[in-house]
Amino acid sequence: MPASFSPVRLGRSPLDVVPLGLASAYGAKGSDVEYAFERGLDFFYWGSYRTPDFGAGLKRLGKRSRERMKVVVQSYARSASGIGQSLEKALRQLEMDHADVLLLGWWNLPPKEEILDAAADLVRRGRARALMISCHNRPAFKNFAADPRIDLLMVRYNAAHPGADKDVFPHLPDPRPGIVTYTSTSWGQLLDRKLVPADERLPRAADCYRFALSNPNIGACWAGAKDAAQLDEALKALEEGPMSEEELAWMHRIGARVRETTQLQARGMGIADRLVNLYSGFGFRTTSELGER
């Protein structure tokens, strides 16, 4: 597969990956996992929802090519024991002896020390090779990045939501954690003709992935393909490579207009964040109310 975006080392983690990864929960089947691997992808995210067919594809692929795959297993568990139980269940289902990344999902403030210690112990014992954390509260990433137990950060980033350029990337220590981004299409909003000015060219999904990967702070981004056709579109990002300054300016214009013209997703995400924050022990508060404790 010709690729203008070359494999990268994800920050201070031990992982080298093709910088476009395939995520479950968007409809991709096990056959799509195998097809993606045949086309050159090696980075797979089993979560937020561990779809059974996607997992079956990972298991089949792992039987013959485990050493060439990097598998991310996410856990939403909110207790130290629950993190280990969640990972071990996933490994049994995949019939693998380790995950390449254990992802602690949606922590808008730092977890309790016992949770981070338990996760780090799983890495120490070889049940995972690296630890990642995801978050919707950008100021909190500064603290996550400074924690030596955390190797990777999963950050929302796209042309309509480029706030990490100000709130996250300038605050990363040296050595830096690896940065993996998601929602490159802003939940499809950047592809919606109704939201994009009529006098502007409508972006493709591949443009959205290229926009994210053209940022030198970003190591990899997730593609949420639902089928082989969408996967082929995502793969064009690797073939076409980084954006020119003119293309980046175009995507920034599109993103600004989308951000101005819709607040629907922001409202929905606010409610979801309140519920996750409550579940995490931080109270029924919005992300903006949390700060960076």
Side-chain angles (χ1 to χ4, degrees), residues 13 45 48 62 66 77 79-80 86 88 103 111 139 167 177 183 191 197 240-241 243 260:
S13 83
Y45 170 26
S48 302
R66 179 65 184 94
S79 69
S86 177
E88 295 299 337
L103 169 56
D167 297 332
T183 64
L191 314 179
E240 296 173 17
M243 284 190 155
E260 291 169 0

Side-chain angles (χ1 to χ4, degrees), residues 90 121 127 138 176 210 272:
D121 186 60
R127 306 306 284 162
R138 289 193 302 265
R176 288 186 166 208
R210 289 176 65 215

Side-chain angles (χ1 to χ4, degrees), residues 15-94:
L15 304 177
D16 296 301
V17 302
V18 173
L20 185 73
L22 180 63
S24 65
Y26 297 93
K29 299 179 175 60
S31 57
D32 298 318
V33 172
E34 294 170 289
Y35 175 67
F37 186 74
E38 291 165 4
R39 291 291 308 276
L41 300 192
D42 61 3
F43 197 31
F44 300 98
Y45 170 26
W46 204 33
S48 302
Y49 172 49
R50 297 175 183 175
T51 53
D53 203 5
F54 193 101
L58 289 176
K59 181 168 70 173
R60 291 194 299 270
L61 200 53
K63 296 295 185 184
R64 62 181 188 270
S65 301
R66 179 65 184 94
E67 72 285 352
R68 294 169 52 203
M69 302 164 60
K70 285 79 176 182
V71 178
V72 177
V73 171
Q74 177 166 280
S75 173
Y76 285 122
R78 260 44 185 176
S79 69
S81 61
I83 295 293
Q85 292 166 4
S86 177
L87 176 60
E88 295 299 337
K89 179 179 179 180
L91 294 178
R92 288 194 299 271
Q93 291 172 308
L94 297 177

Side-chain angles (χ1 to χ4, degrees), residues 12-228:
R12 62 194 182 209
S13 83
L15 304 177
D16 296 301
V17 302
V18 173
L20 185 73
L22 180 63
S24 65
Y26 297 93
K29 299 179 175 60
S31 57
D32 298 318
V33 172
E34 294 170 289
Y35 175 67
F37 186 74
E38 291 165 4
R39 291 291 308 276
L41 300 192
D42 61 3
F43 197 31
F44 300 98
Y45 170 26
W46 204 33
S48 302
Y49 172 49
R50 297 175 183 175
T51 53
D53 203 5
F54 193 101
L58 289 176
K59 181 168 70 173
R60 291 194 299 270
L61 200 53
K63 296 295 185 184
R64 62 181 188 270
S65 301
R66 179 65 184 94
E67 72 285 352
R68 294 169 52 203
M69 302 164 60
K70 285 79 176 182
V71 178
V72 177
V73 171
Q74 177 166 280
S75 173
Y76 285 122
R78 260 44 185 176
S79 69
S81 61
I83 295 293
Q85 292 166 4
S86 177
L87 176 60
E88 295 299 337
K89 179 179 179 180
L91 294 178
R92 288 194 299 271
Q93 291 172 308
L94 297 177
E95 297 184 10
M96 295 179 180
D97 62 6
H98 73 280
D100 295 281
V101 179
L102 169 59
L103 169 56
L104 305 183
W106 208 337
W107 284 94
N108 286 331
L109 287 176
K112 293 179 180 178
E113 282 297 303
E114 55 262 35
I115 291 176
L116 283 172
D117 284 342
D121 186 60
L122 290 166
V123 174
R124 183 187 61 78
R125 294 193 289 111
R127 306 306 284 162
R129 296 175 61 199
L131 182 62
M132 179 191 285
I133 195 163
S134 72
C135 179
H136 292 279
N137 180 29
R138 289 193 302 265
F141 278 116
K142 182 165 60 175
N143 291 327
F144 294 146
D147 192 321
R149 293 168 293 190
I150 298 172
D151 307 292
L152 300 141
L153 306 178
M154 198 165 95
V155 183
R156 182 176 69 176
Y157 185 82
N158 57 64
H161 300 92
D165 282 329
K166 174 174 63 72
D167 297 332
V168 179
F169 303 147
H171 307 291
L172 298 179
D174 187 22
R176 288 186 166 208
I179 302 295
V180 181
T181 63
Y182 61 100
T183 64
S184 296
T185 69
S186 187
W187 305 281
Q189 292 175 336
L190 292 166
L191 314 179
D192 189 341
R193 181 79 268 178
K194 296 189 297 294
L195 301 177
V196 174
D199 60 345
E200 294 278 13
R201 177 165 60 91
L202 185 67
R204 305 164 300 153
D207 294 317
C208 297
Y209 300 129
R210 289 176 65 215
F211 174 82
L213 293 177
S214 295
N215 189 312
N217 295 289
I218 293 171
C221 71
W222 295 117
K226 72 175 182 179
D227 52 32

Side-chain angles (χ1 to χ4, degrees), residues 3-5 210 214 236-243 247:
S4 297
F5 286 109
R210 289 176 65 215
S214 295
K236 292 177 184 176
L238 295 182
E239 296 164 2
E240 296 173 17
M243 284 190 155
E247 288 175 305

